[in-house]
Amino acid sequence: MGSAAISVAGLTKRYGSVTALAGVEFDVAPGTVFGLLGPNGAGKSTTIRILTTIIRPSGGRAEVLGRDVVRDARAVRRLIGLAGQFAAVDPNLTGRENLRLIGRLTQVPRERIRPRAAELLERFLLAEAGDRPVRTYSGGMRRRLDVAAALVADPPVLFLDEPTTGLDPQSRNALWALIRELVADGTTVLLTTQYLEEADRVAARVVVIDEGRIIADDAPAALKARLGDTVIELSMGDGERAASAAAALTSRLGTAPEQEGPLLRFTAQDGSRLLIDILHVTEGIGLVPRAVAVREPSLDDVFLALTGHRTGVPGPAAPGAEQQVEVDQQVEAS
């Protein structure tokens, strides 16, 4: 599968009649951040569980640093770190005790465990809280400790499943900075997220997955460039005014805006010219926007264009999708 740090080819996962993954394929270059994006139920966490040897695929192949995740599962586990969606640390132990325990469990040389724990507490800005029980930590502190725990054995490949869910903006920014530091030191990071701006800021490459299938694979800038240079958003005040304005704009300009309640949205290569034309039409029909915003396209705009829904709003659920989630949870807990 080449020299990629992570290689996935034709990966499938089925639960009875439910298909969670349908032929997923991608490669991750060493020493980069790779973003796996999609809404809940898209197949992101299932992919992570297969790559980290928690569950087996139904078909296809996956390798981490040349080791097959099924045939060489034990070797793969020695090469990876995983911070899942839920903190894996013990709330009754101190931060330092948690990291030392992980060191023993992952067979870090005994003489290296204490200095490694101290090093990680310092690096993740937890040194002052290192001897306090984790139950006294804030959500952001727990998340940083969870990522630190995944790094105790100094793995060359790190998997982060929804790493910033529930974190405040300051904690998210701090975690992004830490991820950049890890990559600068040579670590390969695969992260899953629903936060499009997160992948835009840290990922060199992004795969967009929806209903178990990859629908886009490119650099964030290239994905956004598909939509045009500019997004124009018009706030019309209410849905009725927006619908009337949309009909007039479509008729006069030959371009239909996306309507989301009272909001109309256009994407264009020549945003300045389109904006002038839009305002001319709306003024002429007596429906001047309450507010106008002009911005660059986001990856959320890309996801909407590709799937017809935004990342926080999953598409139509496949039959048996609830069964799939239940089975996945049972497997993960076992």
Side-chain angles (χ1 to χ4, degrees):
M1 284 188 167
S3 59
I6 302 169
S7 293
V8 175
L11 202 63
T12 63
K13 182 64 180 177
R14 292 181 293 275
Y15 298 94
S17 62
V18 177
T19 299
L21 295 177
V24 169
E25 297 195 6
F26 59 81
D27 292 329
V28 180
T32 63
V33 179
F34 181 92
L36 189 59
L37 275 66
N40 285 332
K44 305 186 306 297
S45 292
T46 299
T47 303
I48 288 278
R49 290 175 186 137
I50 291 172
L51 291 173
T52 56
T53 76
I54 295 172
I55 60 176
R56 289 178 171 235
S58 302
R61 292 186 61 198
E63 293 181 354
V64 177
L65 296 178
R67 275 76 167 187
D68 188 279
V69 299
V70 175
R71 295 196 308 270
D72 305 321
R74 183 173 295 181
V76 169
R77 293 183 196 116
R78 289 196 293 266
L79 296 169
I80 64 174
L82 168 64
Q85 293 186 32
F86 306 101
V89 293
D90 188 329
N92 295 312
L93 299 179
T94 68
R96 194 179 309 276
E97 289 169 341
N98 267 286
L99 296 183
R100 290 176 179 175
L101 175 61
I102 295 295
R104 291 194 293 271
L105 292 174
T106 55
Q107 300 180 348
V108 174
R110 183 177 295 273
E111 68 276 8
R112 177 65 180 140
I113 292 176
R114 286 176 178 267
R116 180 61 173 163
E119 173 189 338
L120 288 170
L121 289 172
E122 189 72 35
R123 185 172 193 177
F124 282 77
L125 306 178
L126 293 168
E128 292 185 4
D131 295 312
R132 282 169 35 198
V134 171
R135 64 176 178 271
T136 68
Y137 286 16
S138 68
M141 293 168 69
R142 286 193 186 208
R143 200 61 176 131
R144 294 203 303 275
L145 181 65
D146 200 41
V147 176
L151 293 169
V152 170
D154 200 17
V157 178
L158 177 64
F159 294 92
L160 302 176
D161 195 7
E162 305 280 0
T164 62
T165 298
L167 296 188
D168 60 81
Q170 183 177 1
S171 296
R172 290 173 68 189
N173 286 331
L175 188 53
W176 288 337
L178 289 167
I179 290 171
R180 292 190 189 95
E181 288 180 16
L182 292 171
V183 172
D185 290 342
T187 303
T188 300
V189 177
L190 187 153
L191 65 84
T192 72
T193 182
Q194 295 182 68
Y195 297 116
L196 280 299
E197 77 278 10
E198 184 164 277
D200 198 9
R201 292 180 64 172
V202 300
R205 188 156 144 257
V206 167
V207 155
V208 183
I209 187 170
D210 192 41
E211 297 180 359
R213 291 178 172 82
I214 289 177
I215 58 174
D217 180 354
D218 215 328
L223 287 176
K224 292 192 296 183
R226 297 183 186 184
L227 287 181
D229 297 326
T230 307
V231 175
I232 300 171
E233 293 179 329
L234 312 173
S235 178
M236 303 304 300
D238 59 60
E240 185 176 344
R241 292 182 82 249
S244 297
L249 289 164
T250 302
S251 174
R252 305 283 183 84
L253 303 180
T255 301
E258 171 207 345
Q259 181 175 352
E260 191 175 329
L263 189 70
L264 299 180
R265 184 180 294 108
F266 287 88
T267 58
Q269 297 292 345
D270 188 357
S272 58
R273 169 54 58 185
L274 178 60
L275 179 58
I276 292 171
D277 292 342
I278 288 170
L279 295 178
H280 179 73
V281 171
T282 55
E283 184 176 6
I285 61 175
L287 290 174
V288 177
R290 302 286 175 82
V292 176
V294 180
R295 60 176 175 80
E296 292 183 350
S298 70
L299 285 175
D300 205 11
D301 297 316
V302 174
F303 194 89
L304 175 65
L306 291 168
T307 68
H309 58 88
R310 295 192 176 276
T311 51
V313 184
E322 293 177 355
Q323 173 191 352
Q324 171 195 336
V325 172
E326 181 180 348
V327 171
D328 246 354
Q329 289 175 338
Q330 290 173 352
V331 171
E332 187 174 22
S334 63

